[in-house]
Amino acid sequence: MGRKNRASTSLRELMESAPAGYSEKERSWPGRLAVWAGAVAVVAISAGTLVAPGAVALSAGANSLVNLWEELPADLPLDRALPQHTVLLDNEGKEFARFYSENRIDVDLDRVSQTFLDTLISTEDVRFYDHHGVDPYGITRAAVSNALSSDLQGASTITQQLVQNIMVNNARDETEQLVAVGDTYNAKIRESKYAVHLEQKLGKDEILRMYVNAVYFGNRAYGVEAAARIYFNTSAAKLNLPQSALLVGLLKGPGVYDPFTKADAATARRNTVLTVMENNGAITAEEAHAARKAPLGLERGSVPSSCGDSEFPFYCELVREEILENQAFGATPEERADRLSRGGMTLTTGLDRQAMAAGRKAVTEALGDKNRAALGVAVVEPGTGHIAAVTQNRSWGKGKGKTEVVYAKSEFQVGSSMKPLVLGTALSEGVPASQRYVSNGPYYSPELDDPAEGFHNYGFINHGSIDAYEAVRKSVNVYFVKLIERTGVVDVAKFAESLGITSIPTDKLSGREASLALGAYEVSPLEMANAYASFVSGGVVCKPVTITKAVRSGTDEELPVPDADCHQAIDPGVADTVADALKEPFKSGGTLGAMGKPKGREAGAKTGTTNDFSANWIVGVTPQYSTAVWLGDPRGGGQYPLDRVEAYDTTYYDLTGSEVAGPVWKATMEGAHKGLPAEPLPDAAPVGLGMATDKSIPDVRGMKVDEAITVLLRNNLVPVVNQETAKADPLQQPGTVVAQTPAAGGTLRYRQEVAITLSAGSETSITIPDNG
């Protein structure tokens, strides 16, 4: 009895006085035996596995130990999963990339071979289905051995090993970090408490499932599925006996028994596992003998990780950046980085393989991958903000001819492709597209900062008095300088902001920067494509996003995704009129007249060439896609202008947007649209006819029903005609709108329903045109 009290005292003193823990090797053998005896008593009584007469013999000393046991915490941090893969899918559900900090692929037990499970249990924890988290018999065996020898034996069950794995990844304090290491008395006892409680909370199969997905097998393989792929290029479901024995043997020391570098040690360890199984009756002597004679049968496989392993690395990088930047994946940068590191997500994206292939082929045919000039292409879906493609004529990586910079997201001077935004600003302020200006150079503005030589048109051509359509068709500089005089520089910057362009320093503008009209400020191809998309979506602007759906791996639980925030940003009539004007460059005498439209469909586009040929652009649209193409030297267009470029097996001098960027745009668009119906671009619409330019619901009361429905549709609202008419009123003609809900002036939300009530005697069975 006295020895039992000393055992409990030793254990309490040890745990209270040694928060960092004493290693078992630092104790004498009587001390080890005393403490381990106390540990057996505590664990056995708490787990309910020690029976008389042992329980009676230890009862006096165990009471105080049980009190100490009850004071220990029990709840593991199970709410955070172990790190897994993040899998990226295209818009049709096909994988194109995955990345991870730990190569772990969760699988259910029905996707793990029974042979592997039998091998694991027979070797690591033969009484797994009989104990309650800890195995007093194993502890007793290890206690005696450890008390008499400096060579320590482990007694951890599968459940205890799972506890250690959870603690390694999720330790909440220093004490739990010590539990993860697990080589001290107090750490072992706390580990045992966690294990007992875990078995009370989860079933055996769930614990086994978690374990086989958690443990480390070496060579960056976490969990049995990753290990099966890395060592045998197979799946966990297909593991045979020799393969299973090798993998289970690795658990004792993945580096010591690495079969790729230490084949003899790995073979010996595998055969030891087979002998243990034979001794435990899990396999017959004949099966053990045959398995021991089998070769290791290694076939190194791989599980691609990071964007560098993806067939679409630059799009993959956009997804990675979106996870790190968007609050859908965490409120802080630290939370988002942790989310990316831990993975466990399957993300569906807007990636369109057809558009990607078309863009990749176009840039390669134009410049190849080793040209000093570079192409960056961005393709966006109007009305959704989904990024369908980004591509460029570079390989992913570091070194000559490679890059990890996504040109589609990089900012460059945009040249004349900014001019349609100046037109959109003017239309929004009531200036009609028919407005004429004498567009001869040199022109010196009385209100804006002029270059020393004044403003000239390309080629020093004078165009006389022209309207906005001709100015877009021929890209007339002087016309747009005069137009930005009319609207104001800051208003154009704010209009660009409303279309999602974030790189123009609106707050720092003096109002005299005429160069804004001619594209002197830098914008990314992605933002330019997204801005132009609004011209074919009725003025609806979305934030460009890659991720359209997210689910938790293994459970398919839907997770939050970035909000594209599609909303009515500009007047639908303004958008339609700009889209109509963008048809002009393809006409005779236009900057793209010689190249022509994409085959078999209507399109609108605008080229851009910056000062001194530092960059070329083309941004163009159909109702299905908006695509921007940048061409320049990534080392800097000012220092390395496009005055001499090899493209299409031809030497070009003083490149403009129609010569190389234009054909790349056309080829990309033709490939992306393959199989899609040809849809017309909008025609010019009257500006201001009941249209809301401030995101408010228009007032349609007093309008005839057809006119009211047209106004609502142009504002991307959904008209609903109430079947019950208003009370009879001799002052109201049939077919007139007399009331609406919501009321006029309220905040306009994209695709919001607006119910209208018609006057008495009106026909209410009206078919609403589809505007979706």
Side-chain angles (χ1 to χ4, degrees), residues 546-582:
T546 60
I547 301 167
T548 62
K549 181 181 179 182
V551 297
R552 195 178 302 282
S553 301
T555 67
D556 290 338
E557 172 195 354
E558 289 214 21
L559 302 171
V561 297
D563 183 7
D565 187 29
C566 296
H567 61 276
Q568 192 72 43
I570 60 173
D571 185 294
V574 168
D576 289 353
T577 303
V578 174
D580 191 49
L582 286 173

Side-chain angles (χ1 to χ4, degrees), residues 16 58 68 244 321 393 425 449 551 557 564 577 599 609 665 675:
E16 291 178 352
L58 288 170
L68 179 61
S244 297
E321 291 176 3
N393 65 319
T425 308
D449 291 332
V551 297
E557 172 195 354
T577 303
K599 186 177 180 180
T609 301
W665 175 87

Side-chain angles (χ1 to χ4, degrees), residues 423-715:
L423 174 59
T425 308
L427 295 171
S428 295
E429 296 179 358
V431 180
S434 60
Q435 174 69 50
R436 303 182 74 85
Y437 291 116
V438 175
S439 301
N440 299 332
Y443 172 70
Y444 294 92
S445 171
E447 301 176 15
L448 306 176
D449 291 332
D450 300 314
E453 69 278 9
F455 292 101
H456 289 273
N457 299 317
Y458 180 73
F460 297 95
I461 299 172
N462 292 330
H463 295 275
S465 179
I466 59 173
D467 64 8
Y469 275 70
E470 187 172 352
V472 172
R473 182 165 67 251
K474 299 178 179 178
S475 195
V476 180
N477 293 340
V478 173
Y479 183 94
F480 285 99
V481 170
K482 290 187 174 184
L483 195 59
I484 202 171
E485 280 181 342
R486 176 78 175 266
T487 63
V489 169
V490 174
D491 284 0
V492 172
K494 289 181 177 179
F495 184 84
E497 281 186 352
S498 72
L499 301 189
I501 291 175
T502 61
S503 54
I504 298 174
T506 306
D507 294 340
K508 297 180 180 179
L509 296 176
S510 68
R512 297 184 57 85
E513 297 86 354
S515 59
L516 176 62
L518 307 181
Y521 288 86
E522 296 182 341
V523 186
S524 72
L526 194 53
E527 287 193 349
M528 287 299 290
N530 193 59
Y532 271 53
S534 67
F535 300 142
V536 288
S537 64
V540 172
V541 172
C542 308
K543 294 178 182 177
V545 296
T546 60
I547 301 167
T548 62
K549 181 181 179 182
V551 297
R552 195 178 302 282
S553 301
T555 67
D556 290 338
E557 172 195 354
E558 289 214 21
L559 302 171
V561 297
D563 183 7
D565 187 29
C566 296
H567 61 276
Q568 192 72 43
I570 60 173
D571 185 294
V574 168
D576 289 353
T577 303
V578 174
D580 191 49
L582 286 173
K583 304 170 188 175
E584 294 295 309
F586 290 109
K587 294 181 178 179
S588 177
T591 54
L592 295 167
M595 184 184 80
K597 297 176 291 187
K599 186 177 180 180
R601 64 186 67 246
E602 192 171 56
K606 182 70 189 73
T607 56
T609 301
T610 61
N611 286 345
D612 301 320
F613 306 99
S614 62
N616 291 163
W617 283 78
I618 179 172
V619 189
V621 292
T622 68
Q624 292 108 322
Y625 288 118
S626 178
T627 297
V629 177
W630 162 81
L631 169 63
D633 193 310
R635 295 173 295 177
Q639 189 174 358
Y640 302 95
L642 303 175
D643 51 6
R644 187 180 187 278
V645 175
E646 303 294 329
Y648 297 115
D649 297 322
T650 302
T651 301
Y652 289 85
Y653 296 93
D654 297 341
L655 272 176
T656 63
S658 62
E659 293 169 297
V660 175
V664 168
W665 175 87
K666 183 178 180 180
T668 299
M669 290 290 266
E670 286 182 342
H673 284 82
K674 189 175 181 180
L676 298 179
E679 297 183 10
L681 259 64
D683 294 323
V687 178
L689 178 63
M691 305 301 178
T693 61
D694 58 355
K695 300 184 183 179
S696 62
I697 297 172
D699 191 347
V700 297
R701 293 172 300 173
M703 294 183 183
K704 290 296 185 181
V705 62
D706 290 345
E707 181 185 11
I709 289 173
T710 299
V711 168
L712 294 174
L713 289 174
R714 286 196 179 280
N715 280 280

Side-chain angles (χ1 to χ4, degrees), residues 69-126:
W69 172 273
E70 294 300 329
E71 295 172 2
L72 292 174
D75 288 324
L76 280 168
L78 295 176
D79 55 326
R80 298 183 72 205
L82 295 171
Q84 300 177 48
H85 292 193
T86 292
V87 180
L88 308 188
L89 309 178
D90 64 21
N91 62 356
E92 294 185 346
K94 184 177 179 181
E95 180 179 334
F96 68 90
R98 64 173 63 211
F99 33 77
Y100 49 82
S101 59
E102 293 184 4
N103 182 15
R104 178 181 286 107
I105 307 170
D106 264 13
V107 289
D108 291 329
L109 287 185
D110 60 6
R111 291 173 56 196
V112 180
S113 79
Q114 189 61 49
T115 299
F116 175 83
L117 296 176
D118 291 343
T119 303
L120 175 69
I121 292 171
S122 179
T123 306
E124 291 293 303
D125 190 357
V126 71

Side-chain angles (χ1 to χ4, degrees), residues 369-370 394-395 397-403:
D369 283 0
K370 297 182 179 179
R394 291 289 189 272
S395 299
K398 300 183 185 298
K400 189 174 182 179
K402 298 181 179 181
T403 186

Side-chain angles (χ1 to χ4, degrees), residues 86-97 99 312 315-316 318-320 322-323 346-353 356 381 386-389 545-550 561:
T86 292
V87 180
L88 308 188
L89 309 178
D90 64 21
N91 62 356
E92 294 185 346
K94 184 177 179 181
E95 180 179 334
F96 68 90
F99 33 77
F312 305 120
Y315 195 102
C316 172
L318 284 186
V319 179
R320 192 188 71 84
E322 191 165 278
I323 295 171
T346 299
L347 307 178
T348 301
T349 71
L351 186 148
D352 185 298
R353 286 179 181 267
M356 289 289 294
E381 187 179 280
H386 297 168
I387 301 172
V545 296
T546 60
I547 301 167
T548 62
K549 181 181 179 182
V561 297

